[in-house]
Amino acid sequence: MAKQGYNNRIRVILADRQITNRALADMLGVSEMTVSRWVTNRFQPSMSQFVEISKLLNVDIKDLVEVDPLEISGGVDTQAVFREQYPPLSD
C-alpha cells in the first residue's frame, strides 16, 4: 500500500486531534485558505512551514514529508528504469 501524501497526513492528524484548518492557520500565522490548499494538495507548505507544523502538532517531520518514491514519480519505479538503462559494469 502506498504511503499517504503529506496533505492526507496533515488532514488525518488535524481530524484526530479535532483541530480545524482555521485553528492551524491561526497557530501558523497564515490564512485558512492556505491551510485548505495544503490539505487539498493544491499547494505544498514550504520546508520551514513543514518544520513549524511538525512542532505545533508534535509529530516527527518525517511523518509529514516522507513519501513513497512511486507516489511522486507517477507510479514509475525510477530506480528500476535507471538500472535498466545503466546496468552495473561487469569485470
Side-chain angles (χ1 to χ4, degrees), residues 25 33 82:
M33 179 67 72
F82 182 85

Side-chain angles (χ1 to χ4, degrees), residues 65-85:
V65 298
E66 187 176 352
V67 295
D68 185 336
L70 293 178
E71 182 180 321
I72 60 174
S73 66
V76 175
D77 184 347
T78 54
Q79 290 182 354
V81 171
F82 182 85
R83 285 190 304 271
E84 184 178 299
Q85 291 179 355

